[in-house]
Amino acid sequence: MISCGSQCLKSLLNKQDNVLSQLHLLISTAVILVLIVALLLMIIPDSATANKLSEIQRRSYIRIAVKDNVRPLAFKDVKGNLQGLEIDLAQRLATDLLGKEANMKLVTMANRERLPMIFNHKVDLVIARVTSTTSRSRIVSFSIPYYLDGTLLVTKDTSLEHLQDLATRKIGVLNNSSTIASLKFYLPNAELVGVSSYKQGKELLENNTTAAFAADGSILAGWVQEYPQYHLITTKLSTEPLSVVMPKGMQYDELRRKVNSALTNYISTGWLKQRIIHWGLPVY
């Protein structure tokens, strides 16, 4: 056995004290950092929770992103005022969420901005012709549908009334759109002509290069309203639910419940169907 004198024992104790001191320092530093973070979270506004229903009600206004160029869902009239089914829905939701004195701030944006506006907390809701999909639901939450959109066909040929009338005809369709799959399924012998825009699709119809053009019914309904010489072939080739977009996270549960409860009421009372008919959208 190796003996250790008082000097050796003192050295060992000093080393132990140093180790303990360093350990206490690390623990203290960690505790201080946790306290600082907690303090910062209390002081700095948390943008990730800024859209909770209680916060919306406290500030007495709600921010809703909408489109302004999709007739009859949301568009500007001759005076520059926003109107359409989605504008009516935004106004009704604002009132039901905040009361009769509710203020609503409508924010218009491009298609590519619709989801970022929500997960970057720029707005509280998005009502802008957004189809609820599994992939999108990973980053945002969706309400129950307020309208069931889907692929329809439009034509100016009065002899074309039914889907099978187009069985072997030329049909315009946007390049790389999901509409192509629906057309190939229902009209496998039709000749599809790809276009890069709705404008180009209309040009092909005007010069009789194609007999019809396929796209979402919500878009084509506005087309027919603007150009009465066209009519819809109302057999729907797909179903795409349009929903209100909301933030994800437990802190938004109450907001989501309120929105879904309101939509359920609009459907059960017939208010939503009445507005759909009023704006000339196909009803299924």
Side-chain angles (χ1 to χ4, degrees), residues 262-280:
L263 286 171
T264 300
N265 177 59
Y266 305 158
I267 294 169
S268 63
T269 60
W271 178 84
L272 191 52
K273 183 177 181 180
Q274 186 273 328
R275 300 317 298 165
I276 289 171
I277 293 172
H278 171 81
W279 289 109

PDB file of all heavy atoms in Angstrom, residues 262-280:
ATOM      1  N   ALA A 262     -67.559  27.101 -37.788  1.00  0.00           N
ATOM      2  CA  ALA A 262     -68.254  28.100 -38.594  1.00  0.00           C
ATOM      3  C   ALA A 262     -68.581  27.548 -39.980  1.00  0.00           C
ATOM      4  O   ALA A 262     -69.701  27.710 -40.481  1.00  0.00           O
ATOM      5  CB  ALA A 262     -67.397  29.365 -38.710  1.00  0.00           C
ATOM      6  N   LEU A 263     -67.629  26.863 -40.600  1.00  0.00           N
ATOM      7  CA  LEU A 263     -67.866  26.297 -41.930  1.00  0.00           C
ATOM      8  C   LEU A 263     -68.966  25.240 -41.892  1.00  0.00           C
ATOM      9  O   LEU A 263     -69.797  25.163 -42.803  1.00  0.00           O
ATOM     10  CB  LEU A 263     -66.575  25.691 -42.479  1.00  0.00           C
ATOM     11  CG  LEU A 263     -65.513  26.691 -42.959  1.00  0.00           C
ATOM     12  CD1 LEU A 263     -64.203  25.979 -43.258  1.00  0.00           C
ATOM     13  CD2 LEU A 263     -65.995  27.441 -44.195  1.00  0.00           C
ATOM     14  N   THR A 264     -68.967  24.433 -40.845  1.00  0.00           N
ATOM     15  CA  THR A 264     -70.023  23.426 -40.691  1.00  0.00           C
ATOM     16  C   THR A 264     -71.390  24.096 -40.626  1.00  0.00           C
ATOM     17  O   THR A 264     -72.364  23.622 -41.236  1.00  0.00           O
ATOM     18  CB  THR A 264     -69.789  22.600 -39.412  1.00  0.00           C
ATOM     19  OG1 THR A 264     -68.520  21.936 -39.503  1.00  0.00           O
ATOM     20  CG2 THR A 264     -70.881  21.552 -39.239  1.00  0.00           C
ATOM     21  N   ASN A 265     -71.455  25.223 -39.925  1.00  0.00           N
ATOM     22  CA  ASN A 265     -72.704  25.976 -39.833  1.00  0.00           C
ATOM     23  C   ASN A 265     -73.104  26.553 -41.185  1.00  0.00           C
ATOM     24  O   ASN A 265     -74.280  26.502 -41.566  1.00  0.00           O
ATOM     25  CB  ASN A 265     -72.547  27.097 -38.802  1.00  0.00           C
ATOM     26  CG  ASN A 265     -73.793  27.956 -38.703  1.00  0.00           C
ATOM     27  OD1 ASN A 265     -74.882  27.479 -38.394  1.00  0.00           O
ATOM     28  ND2 ASN A 265     -73.633  29.248 -38.962  1.00  0.00           N
ATOM     29  N   TYR A 266     -72.146  27.083 -41.934  1.00  0.00           N
ATOM     30  CA  TYR A 266     -72.454  27.660 -43.241  1.00  0.00           C
ATOM     31  C   TYR A 266     -73.005  26.595 -44.197  1.00  0.00           C
ATOM     32  O   TYR A 266     -73.876  26.885 -45.028  1.00  0.00           O
ATOM     33  CB  TYR A 266     -71.213  28.287 -43.872  1.00  0.00           C
ATOM     34  CG  TYR A 266     -70.507  29.320 -43.030  1.00  0.00           C
ATOM     35  CD1 TYR A 266     -69.169  29.638 -43.260  1.00  0.00           C
ATOM     36  CD2 TYR A 266     -71.162  29.977 -41.988  1.00  0.00           C
ATOM     37  CE1 TYR A 266     -68.514  30.576 -42.500  1.00  0.00           C
ATOM     38  CE2 TYR A 266     -70.503  30.910 -41.215  1.00  0.00           C
ATOM     39  CZ  TYR A 266     -69.174  31.197 -41.470  1.00  0.00           C
ATOM     40  OH  TYR A 266     -68.523  32.118 -40.694  1.00  0.00           O
ATOM     41  N   ILE A 267     -72.483  25.374 -44.068  1.00  0.00           N
ATOM     42  CA  ILE A 267     -72.938  24.282 -44.931  1.00  0.00           C
ATOM     43  C   ILE A 267     -74.325  23.808 -44.511  1.00  0.00           C
ATOM     44  O   ILE A 267     -75.229  23.666 -45.342  1.00  0.00           O
ATOM     45  CB  ILE A 267     -71.931  23.108 -44.883  1.00  0.00           C
ATOM     46  CG1 ILE A 267     -70.596  23.532 -45.512  1.00  0.00           C
ATOM     47  CG2 ILE A 267     -72.498  21.883 -45.620  1.00  0.00           C
ATOM     48  CD1 ILE A 267     -69.464  22.552 -45.284  1.00  0.00           C
ATOM     49  N   SER A 268     -74.520  23.590 -43.210  1.00  0.00           N
ATOM     50  CA  SER A 268     -75.789  23.026 -42.726  1.00  0.00           C
ATOM     51  C   SER A 268     -76.955  23.989 -42.899  1.00  0.00           C
ATOM     52  O   SER A 268     -78.093  23.567 -43.130  1.00  0.00           O
ATOM     53  CB  SER A 268     -75.655  22.621 -41.252  1.00  0.00           C
ATOM     54  OG  SER A 268     -75.400  23.756 -40.431  1.00  0.00           O
ATOM     55  N   THR A 269     -76.700  25.293 -42.809  1.00  0.00           N
ATOM     56  CA  THR A 269     -77.776  26.277 -42.959  1.00  0.00           C
ATOM     57  C   THR A 269     -78.048  26.641 -44.418  1.00  0.00           C
ATOM     58  O   THR A 269     -79.027  27.331 -44.716  1.00  0.00           O
ATOM     59  CB  THR A 269     -77.434  27.562 -42.191  1.00  0.00           C
ATOM     60  OG1 THR A 269     -76.215  28.122 -42.718  1.00  0.00           O
ATOM     61  CG2 THR A 269     -77.273  27.285 -40.695  1.00  0.00           C
ATOM     62  N   GLY A 270     -77.173  26.187 -45.324  1.00  0.00           N
ATOM     63  CA  GLY A 270     -77.364  26.495 -46.737  1.00  0.00           C
ATOM     64  C   GLY A 270     -76.740  27.804 -47.180  1.00  0.00           C
ATOM     65  O   GLY A 270     -76.813  28.157 -48.368  1.00  0.00           O
ATOM     66  N   TRP A 271     -76.135  28.554 -46.244  1.00  0.00           N
ATOM     67  CA  TRP A 271     -75.545  29.844 -46.603  1.00  0.00           C
ATOM     68  C   TRP A 271     -74.447  29.681 -47.646  1.00  0.00           C
ATOM     69  O   TRP A 271     -74.390  30.432 -48.635  1.00  0.00           O
ATOM     70  CB  TRP A 271     -74.975  30.537 -45.367  1.00  0.00           C
ATOM     71  CG  TRP A 271     -74.319  31.861 -45.684  1.00  0.00           C
ATOM     72  CD1 TRP A 271     -74.923  33.071 -45.812  1.00  0.00           C
ATOM     73  CD2 TRP A 271     -72.921  32.084 -45.952  1.00  0.00           C
ATOM     74  NE1 TRP A 271     -74.002  34.045 -46.130  1.00  0.00           N
ATOM     75  CE2 TRP A 271     -72.756  33.467 -46.226  1.00  0.00           C
ATOM     76  CE3 TRP A 271     -71.789  31.268 -45.967  1.00  0.00           C
ATOM     77  CZ2 TRP A 271     -71.519  34.038 -46.525  1.00  0.00           C
ATOM     78  CZ3 TRP A 271     -70.552  31.832 -46.272  1.00  0.00           C
ATOM     79  CH2 TRP A 271     -70.425  33.196 -46.541  1.00  0.00           C
ATOM     80  N   LEU A 272     -73.593  28.703 -47.456  1.00  0.00           N
ATOM     81  CA  LEU A 272     -72.469  28.515 -48.372  1.00  0.00           C
ATOM     82  C   LEU A 272     -72.954  28.125 -49.767  1.00  0.00           C
ATOM     83  O   LEU A 272     -72.482  28.668 -50.779  1.00  0.00           O
ATOM     84  CB  LEU A 272     -71.518  27.454 -47.818  1.00  0.00           C
ATOM     85  CG  LEU A 272     -70.161  27.318 -48.505  1.00  0.00           C
ATOM     86  CD1 LEU A 272     -69.452  28.658 -48.607  1.00  0.00           C
ATOM     87  CD2 LEU A 272     -69.303  26.311 -47.757  1.00  0.00           C
ATOM     88  N   LYS A 273     -73.929  27.233 -49.842  1.00  0.00           N
ATOM     89  CA  LYS A 273     -74.457  26.834 -51.145  1.00  0.00           C
ATOM     90  C   LYS A 273     -75.104  28.017 -51.853  1.00  0.00           C
ATOM     91  O   LYS A 273     -74.948  28.192 -53.069  1.00  0.00           O
ATOM     92  CB  LYS A 273     -75.473  25.705 -50.973  1.00  0.00           C
ATOM     93  CG  LYS A 273     -76.023  25.186 -52.298  1.00  0.00           C
ATOM     94  CD  LYS A 273     -76.981  24.022 -52.089  1.00  0.00           C
ATOM     95  CE  LYS A 273     -77.507  23.510 -53.413  1.00  0.00           C
ATOM     96  NZ  LYS A 273     -78.445  22.367 -53.239  1.00  0.00           N
ATOM     97  N   GLN A 274     -75.797  28.856 -51.081  1.00  0.00           N
ATOM     98  CA  GLN A 274     -76.439  30.029 -51.666  1.00  0.00           C
ATOM     99  C   GLN A 274     -75.407  30.969 -52.274  1.00  0.00           C
ATOM    100  O   GLN A 274     -75.605  31.512 -53.367  1.00  0.00           O
ATOM    101  CB  GLN A 274     -77.258  30.754 -50.594  1.00  0.00           C
ATOM    102  CG  GLN A 274     -78.087  31.912 -51.115  1.00  0.00           C
ATOM    103  CD  GLN A 274     -77.311  33.231 -51.153  1.00  0.00           C
ATOM    104  OE1 GLN A 274     -76.447  33.459 -50.315  1.00  0.00           O
ATOM    105  NE2 GLN A 274     -77.634  34.084 -52.102  1.00  0.00           N
ATOM    106  N   ARG A 275     -74.276  31.152 -51.582  1.00  0.00           N
ATOM    107  CA  ARG A 275     -73.233  32.030 -52.106  1.00  0.00           C
ATOM    108  C   ARG A 275     -72.546  31.403 -53.327  1.00  0.00           C
ATOM    109  O   ARG A 275     -72.163  32.105 -54.268  1.00  0.00           O
ATOM    110  CB  ARG A 275     -72.183  32.337 -51.029  1.00  0.00           C
ATOM    111  CG  ARG A 275     -72.703  33.025 -49.786  1.00  0.00           C
ATOM    112  CD  ARG A 275     -73.682  34.137 -50.091  1.00  0.00           C
ATOM    113  NE  ARG A 275     -73.088  35.232 -50.878  1.00  0.00           N
ATOM    114  CZ  ARG A 275     -73.784  36.160 -51.509  1.00  0.00           C
ATOM    115  NH1 ARG A 275     -75.108  36.116 -51.494  1.00  0.00           N
ATOM    116  NH2 ARG A 275     -73.176  37.123 -52.179  1.00  0.00           N
ATOM    117  N   ILE A 276     -72.387  30.090 -53.321  1.00  0.00           N
ATOM    118  CA  ILE A 276     -71.800  29.392 -54.468  1.00  0.00           C
ATOM    119  C   ILE A 276     -72.666  29.594 -55.703  1.00  0.00           C
ATOM    120  O   ILE A 276     -72.169  29.909 -56.796  1.00  0.00           O
ATOM    121  CB  ILE A 276     -71.628  27.888 -54.150  1.00  0.00           C
ATOM    122  CG1 ILE A 276     -70.507  27.692 -53.116  1.00  0.00           C
ATOM    123  CG2 ILE A 276     -71.335  27.092 -55.421  1.00  0.00           C
ATOM    124  CD1 ILE A 276     -70.407  26.281 -52.579  1.00  0.00           C
ATOM    125  N   ILE A 277     -73.981  29.435 -55.534  1.00  0.00           N
ATOM    126  CA  ILE A 277     -74.912  29.642 -56.648  1.00  0.00           C
ATOM    127  C   ILE A 277     -74.901  31.097 -57.090  1.00  0.00           C
ATOM    128  O   ILE A 277     -74.911  31.404 -58.287  1.00  0.00           O
ATOM    129  CB  ILE A 277     -76.329  29.205 -56.236  1.00  0.00           C
ATOM    130  CG1 ILE A 277     -76.366  27.686 -56.018  1.00  0.00           C
ATOM    131  CG2 ILE A 277     -77.356  29.618 -57.287  1.00  0.00           C
ATOM    132  CD1 ILE A 277     -77.669  27.187 -55.418  1.00  0.00           C
ATOM    133  N   HIS A 278     -74.886  32.008 -56.109  1.00  0.00           N
ATOM    134  CA  HIS A 278     -74.888  33.442 -56.424  1.00  0.00           C
ATOM    135  C   HIS A 278     -73.712  33.815 -57.324  1.00  0.00           C
ATOM    136  O   HIS A 278     -73.866  34.625 -58.255  1.00  0.00           O
ATOM    137  CB  HIS A 278     -74.815  34.250 -55.126  1.00  0.00           C
ATOM    138  CG  HIS A 278     -74.605  35.717 -55.340  1.00  0.00           C
ATOM    139  ND1 HIS A 278     -75.632  36.583 -55.655  1.00  0.00           N
ATOM    140  CD2 HIS A 278     -73.463  36.485 -55.301  1.00  0.00           C
ATOM    141  CE1 HIS A 278     -75.152  37.809 -55.799  1.00  0.00           C
ATOM    142  NE2 HIS A 278     -73.843  37.772 -55.592  1.00  0.00           N
ATOM    143  N   TRP A 279     -72.557  33.216 -57.087  1.00  0.00           N
ATOM    144  CA  TRP A 279     -71.377  33.578 -57.859  1.00  0.00           C
ATOM    145  C   TRP A 279     -71.203  32.728 -59.114  1.00  0.00           C
ATOM    146  O   TRP A 279     -70.192  32.846 -59.815  1.00  0.00           O
ATOM    147  CB  TRP A 279     -70.122  33.501 -56.980  1.00  0.00           C
ATOM    148  CG  TRP A 279     -70.100  34.603 -55.964  1.00  0.00           C
ATOM    149  CD1 TRP A 279     -70.274  34.505 -54.606  1.00  0.00           C
ATOM    150  CD2 TRP A 279     -69.912  35.995 -56.233  1.00  0.00           C
ATOM    151  NE1 TRP A 279     -70.208  35.734 -54.012  1.00  0.00           N
ATOM    152  CE2 TRP A 279     -69.996  36.679 -54.999  1.00  0.00           C
ATOM    153  CE3 TRP A 279     -69.699  36.737 -57.397  1.00  0.00           C
ATOM    154  CZ2 TRP A 279     -69.869  38.067 -54.905  1.00  0.00           C
ATOM    155  CZ3 TRP A 279     -69.564  38.115 -57.307  1.00  0.00           C
ATOM    156  CH2 TRP A 279     -69.636  38.767 -56.062  1.00  0.00           C
ATOM    157  N   GLY A 280     -72.194  31.904 -59.421  1.00  0.00           N
ATOM    158  CA  GLY A 280     -72.178  31.184 -60.680  1.00  0.00           C
ATOM    159  C   GLY A 280     -71.214  30.025 -60.761  1.00  0.00           C
ATOM    160  O   GLY A 280     -70.816  29.610 -61.855  1.00  0.00           O
TER     161      GLY A 280
END
